[in-house]
Amino acid sequence: MIAGNFAYFFVPSLARMVAGLFILVPVTTYYLDPDDFGIFAIISTLTAVFVATISVGSSWVLGSNYFKLSKSQNKELLFTTLFLDFILRAKLVIVFWIFGDLIFPLVIRDYNPAFVIYFKVYLLSTLFNVFWPTVSFLLTLQKKARVHAAFELGQLTCVAVTTCSFLIVLDFGVMSLVLAPLFTNFVSLIFELIYLRAHVTACLSSSWMKEVRATGIPFIIPNFIAAFGTSADRYFIQKFSSLDNLGIYAHAQSYNDALKTVNKAFARTVNPITLQTFVAAADISPVKFSIRIWSAPPTTAQEWLEYAAAKTNYRL
């Protein structure tokens, strides 16, 4: 079962790499310039930092309670976390939608008023994506790797089709990069809500709201620091160099990020088994053995792959 679930978690990541290398990269690099990639990189980076500051720690609360609760209690917990996620994300979108015109001239060196339009569209796409991290984690806990794969493959198909359509047919330029996730997240949201119908009860629990707030609020500053730490390089490249150089840097980084997909698939496979084992106070030897088998031999190979990717990025 572990091998089967791992395959379903890994196949979408593999498909994303293949689609990126043989479809999206050739199309986007043909129709877009380095500064276009730089514009999208700084917009997505700033949005990621803003979103990180309002995380309520849904995965922490779900992961620590899911296997302890009854089915009805899990439905209340899930609805409460989703409700708080939506409220906070909606507030974020409203605030930065209003003040985006004031923020962008201060943080972007080669500012253009069109950047704010791109930012607002991309910000709206994050609102449509608000439920997916929780739905993804729920599917992982439920060990529904096949359903998770269907969601991810559907999202990948939407991104590829819409990006190519907006670039090739409509000639929208850099706007294509922000419209594609907007359309994809909206379509995905519809199917997420359909799936959630059987797994939530429309009842807000005050006790779960307190626990979610108690878990999420302490993580606001660490989440912001972590998000800024991983994005600071992009900010300083565009601030002290140019959007062109940021576009080249961000595009090269995407190849290196692809190397992390295997470990992510394994983590999604093992996480629910580990949580369930600890909750039941069962023997953890099988889990420890699987992790040791996974983590020991591939390390050298992964280091060689990362070295090769780094050399490639340097040449670019």
Side-chain angles (χ1 to χ4, degrees):
M1 184 176 180
I2 291 180
N5 284 345
F6 173 78
Y8 280 114
F9 283 127
F10 178 63
V11 165
S13 299
L14 180 63
R16 188 176 293 107
M17 286 191 290
V18 172
L21 288 173
F22 296 102
I23 299 176
L24 292 177
V25 168
V27 170
T28 55
T29 53
Y30 181 82
Y31 285 93
L32 299 174
D33 297 323
D35 63 319
D36 293 327
F37 288 103
I39 294 168
F40 179 73
I42 191 61
I43 288 172
S44 59
T45 296
L46 291 175
T47 305
V49 173
F50 297 152
V51 170
T53 61
I54 56 155
S55 173
V56 297
S58 300
S59 59
W60 288 89
V61 179
L62 282 174
S64 59
N65 292 284
Y66 185 81
F67 295 106
K68 299 178 184 178
L69 304 176
S70 65
K71 190 174 181 179
S72 60
Q73 289 174 316
N74 273 324
K75 287 183 176 183
E76 288 186 5
L77 170 59
L78 185 59
F79 180 82
T80 302
T81 57
L82 291 171
F83 176 81
L84 291 176
D85 276 332
F86 178 78
I87 293 298
L88 289 175
R89 185 69 61 87
K91 289 181 178 179
L92 175 87
V93 170
I94 293 172
V95 168
F96 286 104
W97 188 285
I98 295 173
F99 294 102
D101 299 271
L102 301 176
I103 296 173
F104 263 62
L106 300 176
V107 297
I108 297 183
R109 176 184 173 182
D110 302 320
Y111 172 73
N112 186 305
F115 296 172
V116 179
I117 300 175
Y118 302 149
F119 171 68
K120 290 180 178 180
V121 174
Y122 193 75
L123 196 63
L124 186 60
S125 74
T126 66
L127 181 62
F128 293 151
N129 191 51
V130 63
F131 294 152
W132 172 240
T134 303
V135 172
S136 174
F137 190 68
L138 175 66
L139 291 169
T140 302
L141 292 176
Q142 295 174 337
K143 303 176 188 177
K144 293 184 177 180
R146 189 178 301 181
V147 179
H148 194 281
F151 268 104
E152 289 201 311
L153 290 173
Q155 292 166 357
L156 173 61
T157 303
C158 278
V159 167
V161 171
T162 53
T163 301
C164 293
S165 299
F166 289 138
L167 278 174
I168 300 171
V169 180
L170 300 177
D171 194 23
F172 278 178
V174 69
M175 178 64 83
S176 306
L177 299 181
V178 294
L179 284 177
L182 176 71
F183 180 81
T184 299
N185 292 342
F186 178 74
V187 173
S188 180
L189 177 62
I190 295 173
F191 287 97
E192 290 162 27
L193 292 174
I194 293 173
Y195 179 79
L196 286 170
R197 285 175 57 190
H199 299 281
V200 297
T201 298
C203 178
L204 284 173
S205 169
S206 58
S207 60
W208 289 128
M209 291 183 73
K210 290 178 182 178
E211 181 166 346
V212 170
R213 286 198 298 266
T215 303
I217 292 177
F219 279 94
I220 289 178
I221 295 179
N223 285 340
F224 175 79
I225 294 174
F228 182 77
T230 56
S231 307
D233 52 352
R234 296 188 174 195
Y235 170 76
F236 289 114
I237 288 173
Q238 66 85 28
K239 192 67 175 178
F240 296 103
S241 182
S242 66
L243 285 172
D244 289 34
N245 289 332
L246 173 60
I248 296 171
Y249 176 78
H251 183 70
Q253 262 191 332
S254 64
Y255 297 102
N256 201 23
D257 292 340
L259 299 174
K260 304 173 184 177
T261 57
V262 180
N263 285 335
K264 183 184 289 186
F266 179 76
R268 285 173 171 171
T269 305
V270 173
N271 277 348
I273 301 173
T274 306
L275 290 170
Q276 198 168 12
T277 301
F278 277 105
V279 169
D283 181 20
I284 64 171
S285 299
V287 177
K288 290 172 65 177
F289 178 75
S290 299
I291 294 175
R292 284 174 181 171
I293 290 296
W294 173 262
S295 60
T299 302
T300 303
Q302 183 177 352
E303 288 174 353
W304 275 104
L305 286 171
E306 289 176 350
Y307 174 77
K311 293 284 286 185
T312 303
N313 293 347
Y314 177 75
R315 293 191 187 101
L316 289 173

